[in-house]
Amino acid sequence: MKKKLAILSMASLVAAPAIAEVQINGFANLIGGMTLDDNESVYDYDSDFSFDPASVFGLQVRGEISDKLSATAQVVGRGRDDYDADFEWAYMTYNVSNTTSISAGRIRMPLFKYSASLDVGYSYHWLTPPDSVYGIDFNNIDGVRVDYSNYSGDWEYGAQFTTGRAQADTTISGTPAALTLDNVLAVSFEATRDWFSARTLLARGKTSAANPEFDAFVDGAGQFGAVVPGASALASGLRVEEDTGTFFEVAVGVDKYDWFVGAEYTQTEVDGSVIADNKAWYVTAGLRFGKFTPHITYEVEEADNGAQLGLVAALPPTIATGDAVTDATWSGIYQAASGIAAQQNLDVSAVTAGLRYDVEPGLALKADVTWYSDDLNDLNDATLLKVGVNYTF
C-alpha cells in the first residue's frame, strides 16, 4: 500500500499542470554480498548470499514551477525494508539569486562529503561508503537549508546552513529505540580548486532516544538515589533525553584523474548520556586505467566509554538496607549498568580492496572485499565479499 501511494504521489507531481518543466531521474544499486565463513556476520551480512542489506532503487522528480521556484521529490525502496517505497526527499527550493537558494521540507542533511549522492552508488568508487563514517542512523531532516556558492579566482566555494528536526530508528544497548534530534543547527563549508577539495561541518542539536525497557531500567536506578550515593547521577548520565549532541566532520581530497586520494574524519558527542564519544575516519586511494578503477580503503571507528564506566565506578556493587528484595534489586541494577557501560566501548577497523568497471556512462560494475577487525573481540572478525551494479538514468 505504501508503494502504491508513493507511486501515485509521484505521478500527481508529473501531471500537475502548474509545473512547466519536469525532470525525472532514477538510480539503482543492486548489491549482493556474503561473509566467507559460516560463523561470520558483519554489516547485516552473513554466510548466506543476500541482496537485501545494501540494495537501493530510487526515482527523483524535479519540477520547475517558475524561474525561481522548484519542487523535488525522491522515492526510495531499500532491500533491508523489503523494497517498500518511501519518500526520502520532499522539498521546495527558491532561488534568491545566482549564488543563494533556500530549500524547505524533507531534505538531505549535508553531514558528509557524499551526503548529496549517498544513495547514488554510481557517484563514488566503492559499492558502499565506509561504514565507520557513513553508518549513522539518520541522513535526512525536516527543516530549512540555505545554500550559497560562489568563486574567487581559481577557487570555487560554498556554504550551507541547515536547521530543523530529524527522527530515525536507532538502538540502545542492542535494543530498538526511537531517536529524535530537535533544534538542529548545522553549518558546512567547502572549497575546490582544480584537483584539490576540502570541506568541514559542525552540527549541534538536542538528542533524545526513547526505549521503554531502557527507560524503565534508568527510572529504577534513579529510585535508589536516596540510599545509594551516585545512583541519581547514574540515571541522569545514562538517560538520553534532550542531551546536547555535537557532530563534527572534515574531508579532503586530491583527484588528478589518473589517480586520487581522499580522507574523511568525524567526531560525535552526546553530553551526559549512555552514548559514548565516537571518532571515525578513513583514507582511500585509487587509480584509473581506462574503464577500470582499482582502489583501497582503510577505516577506523572508536568509541570511548570512559564517562559511562566512571558512573558505574562511583557505585557500590552491593548494599545492606536490611531488606533482601531491595538489596537484590540493587545488585541486579549494578550488574546491568556495568554491562551497559562496557558495551559502549568500540575499537574496530577494516580494509577494503575493490575494483570498478565502467561499462558505459551511467552503468558501473563493482566488486569489493572487506577484511573487518574488532580489536576488542576477535570473534567478531570477518571477511566480506560484495558484488554489484550501479545504474543511473
Side-chain angles (χ1 to χ4, degrees):
M1 185 64 181
K2 288 174 60 182
K3 186 181 297 184
K4 291 181 179 179
L5 290 174
I7 293 173
L8 289 173
S9 298
M10 296 289 283
S12 67
L13 285 175
V14 175
I19 297 179
E21 181 179 351
V22 173
Q23 297 177 349
I24 301 177
N25 302 100
F27 57 87
N29 306 322
L30 183 61
I31 302 171
M34 62 182 295
T35 58
L36 301 186
D37 190 278
D38 289 341
N39 299 320
E40 295 178 346
S41 62
V42 65
Y43 304 147
D44 295 328
Y45 290 96
D46 55 26
S47 58
D48 294 325
F49 189 85
S50 175
F51 287 101
D52 291 344
S55 293
V56 179
F57 295 85
L59 185 66
Q60 178 175 301
V61 174
R62 184 175 185 271
E64 299 286 347
I65 299 173
S66 68
D67 292 340
K68 290 184 174 294
L69 185 64
S70 64
T72 302
Q74 180 173 287
V75 171
V76 173
R78 302 182 185 277
R80 64 172 183 258
D81 299 325
D82 295 326
Y83 299 100
D84 286 339
D86 199 5
F87 277 99
E88 287 276 315
W89 300 351
Y91 63 89
M92 300 188 73
T93 299
Y94 181 76
N95 294 317
V96 180
S97 66
N98 291 332
T99 60
T100 306
S101 65
I102 301 175
S103 300
R106 175 159 295 179
I107 54 181
R108 178 59 51 87
M109 193 168 178
L111 295 173
F112 308 107
K113 178 178 180 179
Y114 294 101
S115 282
S117 61
L118 185 59
D119 291 325
V120 186
Y122 184 81
S123 66
Y124 40 76
H125 53 286
W126 311 284
L127 269 169
T128 56
D131 189 84
S132 50
V133 170
Y134 283 80
I136 66 172
D137 295 317
F138 67 95
N139 284 295
N140 301 319
I141 186 171
D142 296 328
V144 177
R145 189 183 70 218
V146 179
D147 293 83
Y148 174 82
S149 60
N150 211 329
Y151 66 91
S152 177
D154 294 331
W155 286 94
E156 296 181 13
Y157 60 90
Q160 293 178 312
F161 172 80
T162 308
T163 183
R165 185 174 192 261
Q167 293 180 293
D169 294 328
T170 188
T171 58
I172 298 180
S173 298
T175 55
L179 175 69
T180 302
L181 304 175
D182 289 311
N183 303 323
V184 175
L185 296 174
V187 178
S188 63
F189 179 82
E190 59 185 312
T192 303
R193 179 175 178 175
D194 298 328
W195 42 263
F196 176 78
S197 64
R199 81 179 302 272
T200 187
L201 172 136
L202 178 64
R204 292 174 65 90
K206 293 296 183 180
T207 305
S208 301
N211 175 292
E213 294 180 6
F214 184 78
D215 292 342
F217 165 77
V218 171
D219 290 339
Q223 292 176 1
F224 281 83
V227 295
V228 179
S232 296
L234 173 70
S236 177
L238 294 184
R239 191 186 304 276
V240 189
E241 185 175 11
E242 296 189 350
D243 295 309
T244 299
T246 304
F247 182 86
F248 171 75
E249 181 262 3
V250 61
V252 294
V254 172
D255 193 334
K256 303 288 285 187
Y257 188 75
D258 290 335
W259 59 271
F260 61 87
V261 296
E264 195 163 7
Y265 170 87
T266 62
Q267 183 171 318
T268 306
E269 298 178 359
V270 181
D271 297 338
S273 79
V274 70
I275 302 173
D277 295 347
N278 180 285
K279 297 179 181 179
W281 57 272
Y282 71 82
V283 177
T284 188
L287 301 171
R288 296 188 179 96
F289 300 102
K291 293 186 175 183
F292 291 92
T293 305
H295 57 86
I296 189 167
T297 301
Y298 178 67
E299 59 183 289
V300 172
E301 183 177 11
E302 300 173 332
D304 181 5
N305 63 343
Q308 291 74 24
L309 291 176
L311 291 171
V312 176
L315 300 171
T318 60
I319 59 174
T321 63
D323 182 85
V325 174
T326 299
D327 296 347
T329 300
W330 172 253
S331 180
I333 289 175
Y334 178 87
Q335 294 299 325
S338 298
I340 291 171
Q343 289 174 4
Q344 308 315 307
N345 197 20
L346 183 67
D347 189 356
V348 300
S349 62
V351 176
T352 298
L355 180 66
R356 169 177 175 150
Y357 175 71
D358 287 277
V359 180
E360 59 184 54
L363 176 63
L365 306 179
K366 300 179 185 178
D368 289 354
V369 178
T370 298
W371 294 271
Y372 176 90
S373 299
D374 187 336
D375 291 340
L376 301 177
N377 187 351
D378 292 343
L379 295 177
N380 293 329
D381 293 355
T383 301
L384 173 64
L385 171 66
K386 293 187 295 183
V387 294
V389 180
N390 295 142
Y391 173 68
T392 62
F393 68 87

